[in-house]
Amino acid sequence: MENNITLNNLNHDYNINQNNSYIKVLNWNVCTLSRKKSELYTFLGKRDIDIACISETRLKPNQNFSLPNYKIYRKDRLHSPGGGVALILKSRLKHRDLPDLKLKFIEAKAIEISTSLGPIRIVSIYVRHNCETPEDISNFEGDLLKLTSMGGKFLIIGDLNAKHTEWHNPYNNKNGNILREFKENGYFDIIIPNGPTRYTRNGNPSIIDLILTNIPEIFLYSKTSKKLSSSDHYPTISKISLDKSFHAPQTRFDYNRANWPLFRTVFNNRLDPELPLETERNIDDALTHLTWSIKEAQSQSVPLRRGADDRNLYLDNVTKRLISVKNAKRRQFNETRDPLLRTEINKLRKLIDKRLKDKNNLQFQNKIQAMPDRSKPFWTITKLILSLIHISEPTRRRGI
């Protein structure tokens, strides 16, 4: 459902980057949008939010919802309580609505905005629960594949109910393991906010509101904001550069330059060794406390370094599909131990390895062709190649 806001003094659309070199995007599980209308409207204006991705709207199709100076696109849950997603964007932002994605496990609504970097697809999503059955897993993976294989630049934003230690949760759940597997296979990168996005009634923190994207280099920051109203989720704000000349460096922790005495000091000051460990809940709380103690010590004592540009690591859609099929057959094999499935998995693995090798060779060839003749990098690589070539002496005949 769409709610279009038309004001007389707003008579033309614009490419957002004509006025700003960045946009600000809000990600928030609102837990009933109609009750937070005034609070959300004030927050959008105060923080100058361009686009808001809202999950758990809990709106019904016959329920009107509008905000002055904003356009609203919704996908309401029809057949059960709760759920629902929305995209709220400034009225003059040049964009187009996208058709329903017809997903099976993920609730989603998508638009495409026009920027100086070209069109960017923005999808507001909500995953209602952790995968519990093989059908859930299959549907979740199929939806992720559909969302990330449509071509073009994308930002997939929302509450995924996905926990993994890689994004600072105390343990992994199935959703988190699936997301990490997709990330490792090159489907997307994961933008992680700087702090917990949800606290349970018992005070346990987690990060489950995330951004999946194939353009991570444009993110300037993603951080949690002050808690709003009665929602148990904290809103997160991401600032995204739309400057063509800007390429945010990939950063990683440089443990070779770590200040380990400072790490120990911060960790010891942060850690509470007296926490009880008598019940399962006590142990969960202690694990969470330990995780955040380590992360805080790490952030203060281990410097960051620039990493290599990994934009060329993303896979083409055919290779992604082959990897998806291989993973599905591997899960079937784990359940059935069918030797025919093992044969199919090995064939797929060889085919995927060949495609990856061809991709690497093509990237290397393009890199060589782009180098100026007689340049230092050109001669460095030439010497390296020549050093790997072994030329055998010709066989001598007797008497010669």
Side-chain angles (χ1 to χ4, degrees):
M1 175 180 289
E2 174 187 337
N3 269 327
N4 288 324
I5 312 301
T6 304
L7 301 181
N8 294 331
N9 60 334
L10 302 180
N11 53 18
H12 65 281
D13 290 344
Y14 68 98
N15 281 347
I16 196 165
N17 201 41
Q18 291 177 356
N19 297 325
N20 294 301
S21 59
Y22 63 86
I23 60 173
K24 293 171 81 173
V25 178
L26 172 68
N27 179 14
W28 187 30
N29 181 320
V30 71
C31 295
T32 310
L33 181 56
S34 59
R35 298 177 182 174
K36 316 292 193 328
K37 183 175 181 177
S38 297
E39 184 179 27
L40 175 63
Y41 185 63
T42 301
F43 186 86
L44 294 176
K46 184 177 180 181
R47 299 302 181 93
D48 193 23
I49 300 297
D50 297 290
I51 301 170
C53 295
I54 306 297
S55 54
E56 273 208 278
T57 57
R58 300 179 182 175
L59 297 174
K60 297 303 178 185
N62 60 354
Q63 188 174 357
N64 292 324
F65 186 89
S66 62
L67 294 173
N69 301 333
Y70 291 91
K71 290 187 176 181
I72 302 174
Y73 295 89
R74 294 161 44 180
K75 183 172 176 61
D76 303 328
R77 185 184 293 178
L78 301 178
H79 304 298
S80 61
V85 292
L87 281 154
I88 302 175
L89 58 151
K90 289 181 176 178
S91 296
R92 293 188 297 164
L93 175 62
K94 188 174 181 180
H95 69 284
R96 67 185 182 99
D97 187 18
L98 295 179
D100 184 22
L101 297 169
K102 299 185 185 302
L103 304 179
K104 296 180 179 180
F105 192 76
I106 299 175
E107 298 177 58
K109 179 58 192 169
I111 62 169
E112 184 178 83
I113 63 171
S114 299
T115 75
S116 61
L117 300 179
I120 299 177
R121 186 170 66 259
I122 298 182
V123 190
S124 178
I125 68 169
Y126 175 57
V127 179
R128 70 179 74 181
H129 58 73
N130 187 37
C131 291
E132 297 173 349
T133 66
E135 183 180 7
D136 286 347
I137 294 173
S138 177
N139 289 337
F140 186 37
E141 292 180 339
D143 288 351
L144 287 174
L145 185 64
K146 188 171 185 179
L147 284 169
T148 58
S149 300
M150 298 166 63
K153 303 178 179 71
F154 62 79
L155 307 176
I156 301 169
I157 304 171
D159 175 4
L160 288 109
N161 270 305
K163 297 182 180 181
H164 201 283
T165 55
E166 185 170 305
W167 46 93
H168 315 325
N169 289 293
Y171 62 90
N172 307 339
N173 65 9
K174 290 181 180 178
N175 288 9
N177 287 332
I178 291 171
L179 281 191
R180 188 178 185 279
E181 183 177 9
F182 268 72
K183 174 181 176 288
E184 292 300 309
N185 287 331
Y187 286 84
F188 48 70
D189 210 329
I190 302 175
I191 304 301
I192 305 165
N194 67 340
T197 64
R198 181 177 184 266
Y199 282 85
T200 66
R201 293 179 180 178
N202 298 323
N204 295 328
S206 60
I207 295 180
I208 55 178
D209 302 273
L210 304 165
I211 299 178
L212 316 179
T213 181
N214 59 354
I215 44 173
E217 66 274 8
I218 70 173
F219 279 78
L220 297 172
Y221 63 70
S222 184
K223 58 186 181 181
T224 56
S225 183
K226 183 180 179 182
K227 189 174 185 293
L228 293 177
S229 194
S230 59
S231 172
D232 57 354
H233 288 252
Y234 281 59
T236 66
I237 299 174
S238 299
K239 188 174 182 180
I240 300 171
S241 171
L242 298 178
D243 185 348
K244 285 184 176 181
S245 64
F246 177 83
H247 296 288
Q250 299 292 311
T251 57
R252 295 176 177 84
F253 286 107
D254 186 354
Y255 291 100
N256 291 326
R257 297 191 295 126
N259 185 338
W260 293 116
L262 176 60
F263 181 95
R264 284 191 292 271
T265 299
V266 174
F267 179 75
N268 289 335
N269 290 337
R270 179 73 173 79
L271 187 67
D272 181 3
E274 303 299 326
L275 289 176
L277 299 173
E278 298 174 357
T279 67
E280 183 176 345
R281 181 177 296 176
N282 290 156
I283 295 173
D284 286 342
D285 292 345
L287 285 172
T288 299
H289 177 70
L290 175 63
T291 299
W292 287 104
S293 299
I294 293 172
K295 294 300 179 183
E296 184 173 331
Q298 179 188 49
S299 65
Q300 294 189 36
S301 62
V302 184
L304 296 172
R305 62 178 174 83
R306 291 187 177 185
D309 188 352
D310 61 357
R311 284 173 291 171
N312 291 326
L313 297 180
Y314 293 105
L315 304 178
D316 62 272
N317 290 337
V318 175
T319 305
K320 289 179 181 179
R321 180 59 184 163
L322 289 171
I323 292 172
S324 178
V325 172
K326 184 202 72 174
N327 291 339
K329 290 187 179 295
R330 185 177 63 189
R331 285 192 296 272
Q332 293 176 17
F333 174 78
N334 290 337
E335 294 176 1
T336 64
R337 315 308 293 181
D338 185 347
L340 294 178
L341 285 173
R342 181 187 288 276
T343 302
E344 292 183 38
I345 292 169
N346 290 334
K347 288 180 180 179
L348 285 167
R349 183 180 290 113
K350 290 179 181 179
L351 181 57
I352 292 168
D353 289 344
K354 183 180 184 304
R355 290 186 66 85
L356 293 176
K357 184 177 180 180
D358 291 343
K359 173 183 170 66
N360 292 335
N361 288 339
L362 179 61
Q363 289 177 355
F364 182 74
Q365 179 181 342
N366 293 337
K367 183 176 181 180
I368 295 296
Q369 291 177 347
M371 286 182 180
D373 291 343
R374 301 180 182 277
S375 65
K376 185 175 180 180
F378 177 85
W379 286 115
T380 300
I381 292 181
T382 300
K383 290 178 182 178
L384 176 61
I385 294 173
L386 291 175
S387 69
L388 299 175
I389 299 175
H390 177 71
I391 303 177
S392 302
E393 294 184 7
T395 303
R396 295 187 180 182
R397 296 181 180 177
R398 290 184 179 180
I400 296 181

